[in-house]
């Protein structure tokens, strides 16, 4: 039901800092009709070519300036993920994704008002890294 909002097409790319590729990043839209504070992100899972990324390697941001681990995000109430705005998901991985095709699966679950269970969206895409 919400899967079309997850893992925006064309957003998976390697990221560099100080000239070195430090990981890869992708974007998702919220699977709800309104914004939520980051503390209401229940979980995020990323898998590459069938291998789950350790949670400790995942960072999230609403502005690409301030990044939070998923554990830190549990208490972040001052940053709000707004409806229609992407959540940036970064995976810390030296060298990022190798050149070529990869199957990347993103699972995003959020807690929301009025719904007693987390809303989960899952989307898997084939991505090409140049």
């Amino acid at each position: 039901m919400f899967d079309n909002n997850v893992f925006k097409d064309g957003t998976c790319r390697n990221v560099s800092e100080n000239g070195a590729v430090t990981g890869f990043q992708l974007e998702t839209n919220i699977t709800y009709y309104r914004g939520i504070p980051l503390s209401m992100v229940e979980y995020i899972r990323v898998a590459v070519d069938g291998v789950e990324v350790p949670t400790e390697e995942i960072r999230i941001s609403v502005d690409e300036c301030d990044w939070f681990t998923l554990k830190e995000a549990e208490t972040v109430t001052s940053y709000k993920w707004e409806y229609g705005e992407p959540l940036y998901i970064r995976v810390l991985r030296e060298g990022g994704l190798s050149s070529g095709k990869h199957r990347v699966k993103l699972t995003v679950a959020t807690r929301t008002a009025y719904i007693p269970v987390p809303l989960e969206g899952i989307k898997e895409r084939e991505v090409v890294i140049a």
Side-chain angles (χ1 to χ4, degrees):
M1 173 171 157
F2 301 104
D3 297 344
N4 289 331
N5 287 344
V6 179
F7 195 175
K8 292 173 60 178
D9 193 23
T11 64
C12 189
R13 63 181 176 82
N14 281 334
V15 292
S16 299
E17 292 181 22
N18 301 320
V21 177
T22 58
F24 66 95
Q25 181 173 309
L26 48 134
E27 298 175 20
T28 183
N29 284 322
I30 196 163
T31 57
Y32 191 50
Y33 72 97
R34 56 191 289 194
I36 60 168
L38 288 184
S39 61
M40 293 180 74
V41 171
E42 182 74 10
Y43 55 82
I44 293 176
R45 297 183 182 126
V46 179
V48 177
D49 299 325
V51 178
E52 188 93 11
V53 170
T55 302
E56 300 78 30
E57 295 176 8
I58 298 173
R59 304 292 183 270
I60 60 174
S61 176
V62 295
D63 59 9
E64 292 188 281
C65 292
D66 295 311
W67 293 88
F68 302 96
T69 66
L70 297 176
K71 185 70 176 162
E72 290 169 334
E74 292 176 2
T75 61
V76 176
T77 58
S78 57
Y79 287 78
K80 193 172 181 187
W81 179 15
E82 296 288 354
Y83 177 81
E85 297 295 322
L87 181 70
Y88 301 96
I89 300 168
R90 187 171 286 178
V91 174
L92 304 180
R93 175 182 286 182
E94 189 175 325
L97 292 175
S98 61
S99 295
K101 293 180 182 180
H102 297 278
R103 295 292 304 171
V104 179
K105 180 179 176 184
L106 176 61
T107 305
V108 178
T110 57
R111 294 184 313 281
T112 57
Y114 316 116
I115 301 174
V117 295
L119 297 178
E120 181 183 79
I122 302 170
K123 185 68 174 185
E124 185 171 357
R125 293 189 183 280
E126 182 175 273
V127 301
V128 178
I129 303 297

